[in-house]
Amino acid sequence: MRISPSTKRILIGVAGTFAVLLLLAFGLFQWNRQKLLDAALRAVKARVERKYPVALVLGPARFTDLNTVEIKGMSVVPTASPADTLLTARRLQASLSVRSLFAGRPVFSDLQIQHARLTAHSTATGNNYGFLLNKKKAVEAPRDLRQGRNYGLLLNQVLEAGFDNVPGQADFQDFVVRYDGPRHQALLAMPRLKIEDGSISGRLTASIDSVVNELGVSGHVEAGDYALTARVFGVGGSVQLPYVPRRFGALVSFDTVLVSMTGKEFSDDDTGGKLTVRGSLAARNFSLYQPRLGAEDIVVHRGELDFVATLGRATVALESGSRVLLNQLVFHPEIAVRLKPQLAVRLRIDSDAAPTNAFFNSLPEGMFDVVAGTQGTGTLAYHLQADVDLARVDSLHLDSSLRPSKDFRITRFGAEDLNKLNGDFAYTAYNDKGDSLRTFPVGPSNPDFTHYDDVAGYLKSAIMTAEDPRFLTHHGFMEKAFVNAAIQDIKEKRFARGGSTLSMQLVKNVFLNRQKTVGRKAEEMLIVWLIENTHLVSKQRMFEVYLNIIEWGPSKYRWPSGKHGVYGVKEAALFYYGKRPGELNLPESLYLASIIPKPKYYRYSFNSYGNLRTSTRYFFKLIADIMATKGLISESDRDNLTYGVNLNGPARSYIVTARDTTRTVAPADSSQFESINLIDLLNTTKSAEATPAEPAAPGGAPAEAPKQN
């Protein structure tokens, strides 16, 4: 159909008019939209400044397309002192729902922040970020320094501040977080961190107290439910934890950590509130080095913790329902710690029964090197229950046991064959620094080896009485001795006493180093348990080996044959008395027993006139009285005991026999001779013995040790 010129002109006019109207409407829309945007941003600024004591400064804002808003610059400056800028950003971009904007309720999403800097400062007088944690300060009870900090309230504030400010959609580009405090400094540089529908991904370089890590992060967060799942892993290497080296002198690292929080519950109470948090923590190739724990890195290839944790005022607890996975071992811990007014710890740990092979394969590397690789049949389960309150240290309680099944049996030993104690083997003596001093065979191949029956009964009885009175009847441990040793260690804040039985001393000398670490003690106890509970070595053989290897004098002494030191009972008898081990009388035996704890200081048992000091004479009387009460020596032996010895061997030349007023060595304290069993364990009446006393044998010898089953 042909359109007439007049009609065409009319249509063109209508179209032009419509176009002009559209342009006018679009211009009006744009003007009004920008006006509404400016108003919305002023409302956001006012809302933020009402909620927090800050000044929020926003740069020019404009629409870059239909629903994308760009803001040129932003800063957040606390109004309280110190007024240091907390947050700056060069450019912000977000999607804005036009409908919500015209409805007066603007909804922003898909936030992008470029070149952002979050800088936190802390000084002795204040900080520029505390307002984020104090918005609910009204629920906090007045702080009583004597009762300690409320860790539940503090963590709850941190969690709420963190989750409440997590955006649903965000893309941080070139985001740097810096913290400067009086004791710690931290710098987190994130090239990109993205949050999309709760999913988190990104990489960052973290430098905290000079510890630098390249990290990758991925996970998911549900802010409304206080739920989080996050994976943190090293990029190109392991991750080393900061703060721990400075605070605990330890190095802690891992390849990957998985953190999960499934929720929290906070309840108000008279102490200011209590927080319960549920979640899990898992690590791969977890490594820990701390000199007091062990000489090497302690490594766990797979570790997991499912926790129900409760925090309150000066209290932290791991509740029932928590679970620990250590490689293939499963433990169920319950731990309660009170920090104020005095530290108190209560714990209970039970493990599931594990196959023997799984048990030994799961032991941490670097802590159980001797038994690593041990194989067997049956199962093993562990139980530990302990309570300690530093306000009442003497009330310390400990119950620890490894429980085998009826079919438990060792079929193959690990790095060391524990059965070597039954044969001729080479023994190396070390000093406290770990240096080897001398190696010699223990057995008939050594002409200085002395059989059990060739040692004076007086000496055997004196050593057992002083060092381990229940050696013939216990299974490697005396719990009371260990507890009392731990009590003294806690009081003196050092390894003051070891709580070791003869079995433990033997294992330490034959299989382990001399370092005083928690790891060495743990392995020592496990080896003793294996030897004693599998009846691998008879008590008599154990004591025989012990008598032939222990150090009994100065390491610098050189024998005519060229060997150094005084090791074993034969060398001790020759060095001190010029006798054979079977010829020793009661005073000579008591003296040798008295110096076992510190043999290198034997000469300080004598005063400047060559007589025994009061502390050593006290030891003689105490041990002789106990030996007589137990029937190990006769009443006549005790009544006729002389408190002195004649040193007729080379040791004589090391004793000062003329009064010397220039000596600066302090007199020996009697505690140096107090084996823990003397004060803590020995009963002085037969009726108090848990088991019948061993009848005396000729020459004061104890009865025959039980035979190996």
Side-chain angles (χ1 to χ4, degrees):
M1 183 180 67
R2 185 176 180 182
I3 301 176
S4 66
S6 60
T7 303
K8 184 181 294 187
R9 285 193 296 271
I10 293 173
L11 290 176
I12 292 173
V14 171
T17 303
F18 184 70
V20 169
L21 291 174
L22 282 178
L23 288 173
L24 289 173
F26 182 73
L28 181 63
F29 169 78
Q30 288 287 77
W31 176 82
N32 200 38
R33 183 178 68 162
Q34 184 66 41
K35 185 177 180 181
L36 289 175
L37 173 62
D38 293 339
L41 292 179
R42 287 194 298 270
V44 170
K45 171 182 169 66
R47 186 165 60 249
V48 170
E49 292 180 347
R50 282 196 305 269
K51 188 175 182 180
Y52 300 108
V54 299
L56 174 62
V57 179
L58 297 173
R62 67 183 183 90
F63 282 93
T64 59
D65 56 29
L66 183 62
N67 62 349
T68 301
V69 175
E70 179 186 71
I71 302 175
K72 293 287 189 178
M74 176 201 71
S75 67
V76 176
V77 183
T79 56
S81 178
D84 295 328
T85 301
L86 178 64
L87 176 65
T88 63
R90 181 179 298 171
R91 177 177 177 270
L92 291 85
Q93 182 174 297
S95 295
L96 174 61
S97 168
V98 176
R99 181 178 179 182
S100 69
L101 179 63
F102 279 91
R105 297 186 300 274
V107 177
F108 293 92
S109 61
D110 296 331
L111 176 66
Q112 293 184 19
I113 301 179
Q114 296 178 359
H115 196 73
R117 299 293 182 266
L118 176 62
T119 305
H121 298 287
S122 176
T123 66
T125 58
N127 58 66
N128 68 337
Y129 57 86
F131 64 87
L132 292 172
L133 303 178
N134 295 332
K135 64 175 184 174
K136 294 186 178 182
K137 193 173 182 179
V139 304
E140 183 175 7
R143 184 175 178 185
D144 184 347
L145 294 178
R146 294 171 300 176
Q147 297 300 317
R149 182 186 295 272
N150 190 317
Y151 294 99
L153 178 61
L154 179 62
L155 180 58
N156 187 62
Q157 292 172 341
V158 171
L159 291 175
E160 291 192 349
F163 279 94
D164 289 353
N165 290 282
V166 172
Q169 306 281 341
D171 188 356
F172 298 91
Q173 300 174 22
D174 186 22
F175 188 19
V176 177
V177 178
R178 180 187 296 274
Y179 170 78
D180 289 306
R183 290 182 295 178
H184 303 286
Q185 291 76 41
L187 178 66
L188 306 180
M190 294 175 278
R192 189 165 192 180
L193 180 66
K194 190 173 183 178
I195 303 175
E196 185 174 4
D197 294 329
S199 295
I200 305 171
S201 62
R203 291 198 173 187
L204 67 149
T205 300
S207 176
I208 303 176
D209 293 338
S210 301
V211 176
V212 181
N213 290 297
E214 296 287 337
L215 304 172
V217 180
S218 62
H220 188 83
V221 59
E222 293 291 344
D225 297 328
Y226 295 100
L228 168 71
T229 301
R231 175 175 174 260
V232 180
F233 55 93
V235 178
S238 61
V239 179
Q240 182 179 330
L241 286 188
Y243 178 68
V244 178
R246 290 178 55 178
R247 179 64 179 85
F248 302 103
L251 298 176
V252 178
S253 64
F254 58 85
D255 288 349
T256 302
V257 161
L258 299 173
V259 181
S260 173
M261 178 175 163
T262 57
K264 72 176 185 70
E265 300 170 8
F266 185 78
S267 58
D268 293 335
D269 60 21
D270 295 338
T271 65
K274 183 175 290 187
L275 176 69
T276 299
V277 182
R278 292 176 172 82
S280 64
L281 179 67
R284 297 292 182 271
N285 296 325
F286 176 87
S287 176
L288 167 64
Y289 172 74
Q290 212 287 341
R292 292 193 177 188
L293 296 180
E296 302 176 5
D297 290 353
I298 298 172
V299 179
V300 176
H301 292 291
R302 182 187 177 196
E304 296 180 11
L305 168 63
D306 298 325
F307 60 84
V308 180
T310 301
L311 299 89
R313 184 171 296 282
T315 60
V316 179
L318 201 60
E319 305 287 358
S320 174
S322 300
R323 171 182 173 272
V324 173
L325 177 67
L326 183 68
N327 293 324
Q328 302 175 59
L329 303 181
V330 178
F331 297 89
H332 304 279
E334 296 179 37
I335 305 173
V337 180
R338 187 196 70 214
L339 301 174
K340 294 283 186 176
Q342 286 277 10
L343 177 66
V345 180
R346 185 182 73 253
L347 62 89
R348 179 187 178 98
I349 300 175
D350 289 287
S351 77
D352 293 344
T356 298
N357 291 348
F359 177 88
F360 285 102
N361 290 336
S362 297
L363 296 175
E365 293 180 9
M367 195 172 178
F368 294 91
D369 295 337
V370 172
V371 297
T374 298
Q375 296 184 3
T377 60
T379 62
L380 290 168
Y382 180 67
H383 167 77
L384 171 65
Q385 187 167 354
D387 298 272
V388 61
D389 186 342
L390 293 190
R392 300 178 294 109
V393 177
D394 292 335
S395 66
L396 185 147
H397 167 74
L398 175 66
D399 176 19
S400 175
S401 60
L402 187 60
R403 300 168 179 175
S405 62
K406 292 183 179 180
D407 58 340
F408 170 77
R409 185 170 63 88
I410 296 299
T411 58
R412 193 182 78 179
F413 292 106
E416 287 268 13
D417 184 358
L418 305 186
N419 193 52
K420 77 177 186 179
L421 287 173
N422 286 311
D424 203 316
F425 66 94
Y427 170 72
T428 300
Y430 295 89
N431 61 18
D432 292 337
K433 296 180 180 179
D435 302 321
S436 60
L437 301 176
R438 180 175 155 193
T439 299
F440 55 89
V442 179
S445 64
N446 183 354
D448 291 333
F449 180 80
T450 304
H451 290 282
Y452 180 88
D453 293 334
D454 294 331
V455 179
Y458 287 128
L459 181 60
K460 291 183 285 193
S461 297
I463 292 175
M464 286 190 193
T465 301
E467 292 293 309
D468 191 349
R470 300 187 190 276
F471 171 70
L472 298 175
T473 56
H474 67 57
H475 293 286
F477 310 99
M478 286 189 291
E479 188 174 283
K480 185 177 180 182
F482 192 84
V483 168
N484 288 340
I487 289 173
Q488 184 168 336
D489 289 346
I490 292 172
K491 288 180 177 179
E492 299 189 21
K493 298 180 180 180
R494 65 185 182 92
F495 288 113
R497 301 165 71 174
S500 295
T501 61
L502 285 177
S503 306
M504 296 170 73
Q505 293 180 47
L506 176 66
V507 164
K508 176 185 68 177
N509 281 281
V510 174
F511 296 107
L512 303 172
N513 58 49
R514 302 295 297 273
Q515 294 174 336
K516 293 184 177 181
T517 64
V518 174
R520 195 220 69 192
K521 178 60 72 173
E523 183 167 32
E524 174 186 308
M525 296 175 73
L526 180 54
I527 295 173
V528 169
W529 186 91
L530 288 171
I531 291 174
E532 292 271 11
N533 287 272
T534 61
H535 308 289
L536 184 66
V537 185
S538 70
K539 291 284 189 176
Q540 178 173 309
R541 173 60 180 172
M542 292 173 69
F543 194 49
E544 181 180 73
V545 173
Y546 175 87
L547 290 171
N548 278 275
I549 67 171
I550 60 172
E551 185 178 21
W552 239 315
S555 56
K556 65 181 180 180
Y557 176 70
R558 180 167 181 166
W559 296 87
S561 61
K563 60 187 178 184
H564 288 269
V566 181
Y567 293 93
V569 65
K570 185 174 181 179
E571 291 183 4
L574 287 172
F575 178 73
Y576 291 101
Y577 311 117
K579 290 184 175 183
R580 295 184 179 87
E583 299 171 343
L584 301 178
N585 59 33
L586 180 57
E588 293 167 343
S589 298
L590 288 170
Y591 176 71
L592 288 182
S594 75
I595 63 174
I596 286 177
K598 293 186 176 181
K600 294 178 181 178
Y601 295 90
Y602 75 92
R603 63 185 181 278
Y604 301 131
S605 301
F606 299 88
N607 62 23
S608 58
Y609 294 103
N611 300 318
L612 290 176
R613 293 183 182 275
T614 302
S615 58
T616 309
R617 293 199 298 272
Y618 165 78
F619 179 93
F620 273 38
K621 185 178 186 306
L622 176 63
I623 300 303
D625 285 345
I626 296 172
M627 291 170 67
T629 301
K630 296 177 67 175
L632 299 176
I633 59 174
S634 67
E635 296 292 335
S636 176
D637 284 334
R638 179 183 61 184
D639 295 340
N640 296 319
L641 176 65
T642 58
Y643 295 93
V645 293
N646 295 318
L647 299 182
N648 297 319
R652 181 68 183 177
S653 62
Y654 289 83
I655 304 301
V656 177
T657 56
R659 188 171 184 80
D660 182 357
T661 58
T662 64
R663 287 181 62 189
T664 59
V665 178
D669 191 309
S670 61
S671 65
Q672 104 178 31
F673 301 114
E674 291 174 7
S675 171
I676 59 169
N677 306 316
L678 300 183
I679 305 301
D680 306 322
L681 301 174
L682 293 182
N683 297 310
T684 56
T685 61
K686 291 184 180 181
S687 61
E689 288 292 312
T691 57
E694 301 84 359
E704 181 78 7
K707 299 296 183 181
Q708 180 180 353
N709 293 336

